[in-house]
Amino acid sequence: MALLEVNALTSGYGELQILWGVSLKLERGKLTALVGSNGVGKTTLLRTVLGLVKPWDGVVTFAGRDVTHLSPHAKASQGLVLVPEGRQLFSDMSVYENLEMGAFSKRARPHFARNLERVYEMFPRLKERATQKAGTLSGGEQQMLAVARGLMAQPEVLMLDELSLGLAPFLVLELFGILRRLKDEGLTMLLVEQNVQMALAVSDYAYVLEHGRVSLEGPSREVAQNKRVKAAYLGI
């Protein structure tokens, strides 16, 4: 059984429909990629799954339970955690204080010390800058902090929105290396990403979203070999 399942999800903003019956599954312990061009509804899908955008129709099931209409707070308390596009850090707070905010829920608080040690080991630069204000970090360091804050929340499912956006290539490689490590540790993840080549290289299974609909899905290696995907997204 899938840990997170989205069935025929439809949503939008006002009268503008963005998602048209999107369905996908996240298998436990797997890294699933949702790829596609900018503006096709990837972020809207994440926001709808979390309840930040109200679904018009469809069902979201988490660990066998219907969570479609639960509040974002209730979903987060059950372990559905988002690392949002644009990071959305508390810029006037220190690195340490941002990590504290990540562990705010009852679910996460008992694991604070262990998770703090873990993210400092994973991102040594954050430990070095623990007292520094988040707003003064480089773009790459801020993205590391956003991921670390998500991990502090003790996620059952970690959803990452545009992890590589605006980052230098060497930082992208570093962050995707962290994703591989987390996958090896058994964390269930959904990666929403415009960098299709990197997303397909690191993930187990992939969905291609076009015009608010899933146009293709399958094991990532197979999706990467699809002629249309090669032409449209990989420049081959």
Side-chain angles (χ1 to χ4, degrees):
M1 183 180 68
L3 180 57
L4 180 68
E5 188 166 355
V6 176
N7 287 305
L9 198 63
T10 299
S11 76
Y13 305 94
E15 296 182 356
L16 178 63
Q17 185 167 350
I18 303 296
L19 301 180
W20 302 75
V22 174
S23 297
L24 57 81
K25 295 180 181 181
L26 268 62
E27 299 296 336
R28 188 181 294 274
K30 301 295 184 181
L31 172 52
T32 302
L34 178 68
V35 300
S37 302
N38 190 33
V40 299
K42 302 188 304 296
T43 295
T44 300
L45 177 61
L46 289 185
R47 292 175 60 83
T48 306
V49 167
L50 282 172
L52 297 168
V53 173
K54 290 185 178 180
W56 296 1
D57 200 2
V59 177
V60 178
T61 306
F62 177 54
R65 292 173 292 178
D66 185 345
V67 298
T68 310
H69 299 291
L70 291 184
S71 68
H73 175 75
K75 290 176 183 178
S77 71
Q78 293 184 22
L80 281 174
V81 175
L82 173 66
V83 177
E85 180 182 359
R87 298 146 197 165
Q88 297 181 21
L89 301 172
F90 299 98
S91 59
D92 288 332
M93 296 172 65
S94 70
V95 167
Y96 178 82
E97 289 168 335
N98 271 270
L99 295 174
E100 275 190 314
M101 293 301 294
F104 185 75
S105 70
K106 290 182 179 179
R107 170 188 175 84
R109 280 199 297 269
H111 308 284
F112 176 80
R114 184 191 68 190
N115 284 335
L116 183 66
E117 182 179 359
R118 179 177 178 232
V119 299
Y120 278 165
E121 183 270 328
M122 201 173 291
F123 301 104
R125 272 174 281 184
L126 297 183
K127 186 174 184 179
E128 295 170 3
R129 292 159 173 74
T131 60
Q132 188 172 327
K133 285 187 176 181
T136 66
L137 300 176
S138 70
E141 289 166 346
Q142 288 187 16
Q143 190 64 290
M144 292 175 187
L145 179 54
V147 174
R149 185 180 62 181
L151 293 172
M152 291 297 295
Q154 191 71 15
E156 191 77 16
V157 172
L158 184 65
M159 294 177 278
L160 306 111
D161 193 5
E162 300 295 0
L163 185 68
S164 71
L165 190 64
L167 298 184
F170 78 93
L171 289 172
V172 173
L173 289 173
E174 185 174 345
L175 283 166
F176 273 79
I178 294 294
L179 290 190
R180 288 184 185 275
R181 171 177 169 175
L182 293 171
K183 184 178 74 167
D184 290 343
E185 292 176 358
L187 180 60
T188 305
M189 291 178 283
L190 176 61
L191 173 66
V192 168
E193 182 60 55
Q194 286 187 59
N195 188 330
V196 176
Q197 186 170 11
M198 290 294 293
L200 294 179
V202 75
S203 60
D204 300 294
Y205 200 87
Y207 294 84
V208 179
L209 196 65
E210 296 181 323
H211 308 297
R213 294 179 171 90
V214 173
S215 62
L216 179 69
E217 66 171 280
S220 297
R221 289 184 180 181
E222 294 181 11
V223 172
Q225 295 304 313
N226 180 275
K227 290 183 179 179
R228 192 160 59 84
V229 171
K230 284 184 174 181
Y233 301 108
L234 305 181
I236 300 174

